[in-house]
């Protein structure tokens, strides 16, 4: 019974994400000033040897010095997977393989809402270089609460800890 409920929830989330992606692909202009339209962003949950990759935001961005999961905004015409692959390459100069959805997070900041699609990913090719991030770190999931992580990424950490990945 529990698996049926979880499956329905996952299918509902996927349908919601597909619908939102369709709107983005149709190049509909979502007004940033409207709080009822969240900014669609992606995040990569990359786990290697039991450690999770996090990146530190540079000084010239909102929330400078905060740690986050790598990723970024979905541009019009892009799928979330395409956006995540592009963002990882721009930020870290590696080719990421985007796998399944890990978590979906809706968070309201004072400037507006974000809808985060967090995907499990692997590094398919390349060596990490800090191009658009201040630094990167591989941390055990249990260590993540010690970092100053963006508020919107906190639920992803809770998922990592509860799944014991």
């Amino acid at each position: 019974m529990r698996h049926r409920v979880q499956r329905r929830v996952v299918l509902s989330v996927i349908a919601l994400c597909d619908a939102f992606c369709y709107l983005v692909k149709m190049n509909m202009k979502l007004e940033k000033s409207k709080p009822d339209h969240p900014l669609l962003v992606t995040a990569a949950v990359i786990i290697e040897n039991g450690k999770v990759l996090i990146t530190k935001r540079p000084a010239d961005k909102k929330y400078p010095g905060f740690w986050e999961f790598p990723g970024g905004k979905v541009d019009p015409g892009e799928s979330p997977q395409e956006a995540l692959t592009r963002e990882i390459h721009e930020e870290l100069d590696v080719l990421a393989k985007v796998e399944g959805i890990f978590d979906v997070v809706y968070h309201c900041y004072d400037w507006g809402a974000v809808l985060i699609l967090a995907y499990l990913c692997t590094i398919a090719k390349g060596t990490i270089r800090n191009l658009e991030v201040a630094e990167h770190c591989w941390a055990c999931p249990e260590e993540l609460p010690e970092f100053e992580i963006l508020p919107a990424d906190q639920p992803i950490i809770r998922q990592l800890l509860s799944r014991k990945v």
Side-chain angles (χ1 to χ4, degrees):
M1 176 72 165
R2 182 177 172 195
H3 293 292
R4 286 185 197 163
V5 172
Q6 287 176 338
R7 180 175 162 79
R8 278 190 229 135
V9 169
V10 168
L11 291 175
S12 297
V13 168
I14 291 171
L16 173 66
C17 294
D18 286 345
F20 195 84
C21 291
Y22 174 77
L23 293 175
V24 172
K25 280 192 170 192
M26 295 306 294
N27 290 320
M28 293 182 72
K29 303 290 184 196
L30 300 179
E31 296 177 40
K32 290 185 180 179
S33 62
K34 288 192 176 181
D36 58 334
H37 292 97
L39 178 64
L40 183 61
V41 297
T42 58
V45 178
I46 302 172
I47 303 167
E48 285 188 12
N49 301 318
K51 294 191 175 191
V52 182
L53 178 66
I54 55 175
T55 56
K56 193 171 194 179
R57 295 178 63 81
D60 62 340
K61 296 210 175 176
K62 285 182 185 173
Y63 298 97
F66 274 74
W67 291 88
E68 65 183 346
F69 294 96
K73 298 175 194 158
V74 177
D75 288 337
E78 275 184 318
S79 72
Q81 296 89 341
E82 292 167 338
L84 188 53
T85 301
R86 175 185 51 77
E87 287 283 350
I88 298 300
H89 187 260
E90 289 173 359
E91 292 178 0
L92 300 170
D93 197 27
V94 293
L95 176 62
K97 178 182 177 197
V98 179
E99 297 173 359
I101 195 92
F102 179 78
D103 200 4
V104 177
V105 177
Y106 181 86
H107 182 81
C108 289
Y109 285 103
D110 57 352
W111 51 265
V114 293
L115 179 65
I116 303 173
L117 305 178
Y119 289 89
L120 282 173
C121 297
T122 56
I123 296 175
K125 186 177 180 183
T127 302
I128 294 175
R129 294 186 323 134
N130 300 326
L131 300 180
E132 293 184 4
V133 300
E135 58 184 284
H136 73 276
C137 175
W138 292 96
C140 293
E142 299 79 25
E143 297 171 335
L144 293 174
E146 300 169 21
F147 289 84
E148 192 172 21
I149 305 271
L150 283 177
D153 284 359
Q154 294 295 330
I156 301 169
I157 293 172
R158 287 193 290 277
Q159 277 291 344
L160 280 164
L161 293 172
S162 71
R163 293 184 191 186
K164 297 184 181 0
V165 288

